[in-house]
Amino acid sequence: TSLLLMAGIMVMVGLCRRLTRRRLRSHQRLRTFLLEMFSTFQICACTNELCLLGDVEPKPHTALTLTYGFTVLHGLTLTGSTCNPCGTLQPMWGGGISVKMGGLKIGAQFVAAVLARVFMHFIWSLEMAEPHFGALSHGCSNPMQTTEMQAFCIELLFSVVFQLTILRVERVNPKYRVHLIALLITMLVYAGGNLTGAIFNPALAFSLHANCFYDKFLSYSLVYWIAPSLGKFLILHVF
């Protein structure tokens, strides 16, 4: 049921993206906003569901396989979208897009993060699958299983590794690039998922753990917003 749900989300987003491209060609800003919002919604909604499948046996093989598989699918179906505020900083820094357009994309990503969380909570309330039972009663799932400083360093390091890899594989054939990126994300999740969740995406982190941001805003914004952004700026400054 969970796999069918995620497949349905991807089909729905694909249809919305196609309609947006066809109907809003003359409205560039609205078109950009909606495309980025739909794409980020897909990633946030599917990852919310994947988090519920983390305890499915055999552990962690099932979770890692699903992570790799859906990361490949996201890469193949969401071409042209960033879905990560840190990734949007690169063209803004290099002058590829204006600050206003970059802010529009980042706004769309956080709007999508909120919408995905609301949508998934509604789906979980229907209790269509066994993992959905009691999913709404967890509150803050507390992804930080280490000290705040260590969590900050881990997310910073993972962001640097991820963003550097993105830059280095730009010239690789897209058919192979998506698998390389998916493999890297799966390895990072395996390495640090039990410590911080290995998110390195501010919008996704907010969608997954909004309650934690509400309870401990300073700690979680430092680890899941500032650390990935700082990692991106380090990459841009060095390379």
Side-chain angles (χ1 to χ4, degrees):
T1 303
S2 292
L3 295 179
L4 288 175
L5 171 62
M6 289 186 283
I9 291 172
M10 297 179 72
V11 171
M12 178 184 69
V13 168
L15 292 175
C16 290
R17 281 168 53 87
R18 179 173 296 181
L19 286 174
T20 300
R21 285 198 179 98
R22 289 182 177 179
R23 302 294 177 86
L24 298 176
R25 293 179 179 177
S26 59
H27 301 81
Q28 184 63 31
R29 290 186 180 178
L30 179 59
R31 181 172 178 264
T32 299
F33 181 89
L34 290 177
L35 287 174
E36 194 67 32
M37 186 186 73
F38 290 138
S39 301
T40 308
F41 176 89
Q42 175 176 310
I43 289 180
C44 291
C46 290
T47 307
N48 269 279
E49 185 68 17
L50 280 175
C51 287
L52 296 183
L53 304 179
D55 294 328
V56 174
E57 297 291 346
K59 296 190 296 185
H61 306 84
T62 301
L64 293 175
T65 301
L66 291 174
T67 298
Y68 176 82
F70 276 92
T71 302
V72 171
L73 291 175
H74 292 325
L76 293 174
T77 59
L78 302 179
T79 53
S81 297
T82 308
C83 308
N84 188 337
C86 296
T88 308
L89 294 175
Q90 179 181 345
M92 289 175 62
W93 181 276
I97 60 175
S98 65
V99 175
K100 184 179 293 186
M101 186 61 72
L104 187 71
K105 285 190 173 185
I106 293 175
Q109 291 157 2
F110 276 98
V111 168
V114 174
L115 291 177
R117 183 172 180 82
V118 172
F119 175 76
M120 293 309 298
H121 277 214
F122 169 73
I123 295 296
W124 294 343
S125 68
L126 302 178
E127 297 185 341
M128 297 186 299
E130 183 177 349
H132 297 173
F133 300 153
L136 298 179
S137 61
H138 290 163
C140 174
S141 55
N142 192 19
M144 276 197 285
Q145 299 298 316
T146 182
T147 65
E148 184 177 308
M149 182 55 65
Q150 288 178 336
F152 177 87
C153 293
I154 290 172
E155 287 293 313
L156 174 63
L157 174 62
F158 284 3
S159 177
V160 168
V161 172
F162 177 72
Q163 299 295 343
L164 180 59
T165 303
I166 293 294
L167 291 177
R168 304 303 287 182
V169 300
E170 283 183 345
R171 298 181 181 179
V172 177
N173 188 309
K175 293 188 298 183
Y176 305 118
R177 181 170 63 224
V178 66
H179 289 279
L180 290 174
I181 295 174
L183 179 61
L184 173 65
I185 291 176
T186 304
M187 291 172 62
L188 294 178
V189 170
Y190 177 72
N194 62 323
L195 297 175
T196 65
I199 303 172
F200 47 89
N201 182 333
L204 178 58
F206 185 70
S207 182
L208 294 176
H209 306 294
N211 291 334
C212 299
F213 281 91
Y214 177 78
D215 294 338
K216 300 178 180 179
F217 177 78
L218 291 179
S219 297
Y220 278 80
S221 61
L222 178 68
V223 173
Y224 294 106
W225 288 355
I226 296 178
S229 300
L230 179 59
K232 184 62 178 180
F233 278 118
L234 288 175
I235 291 298
L236 292 175
H237 179 70
V238 174
F239 292 93

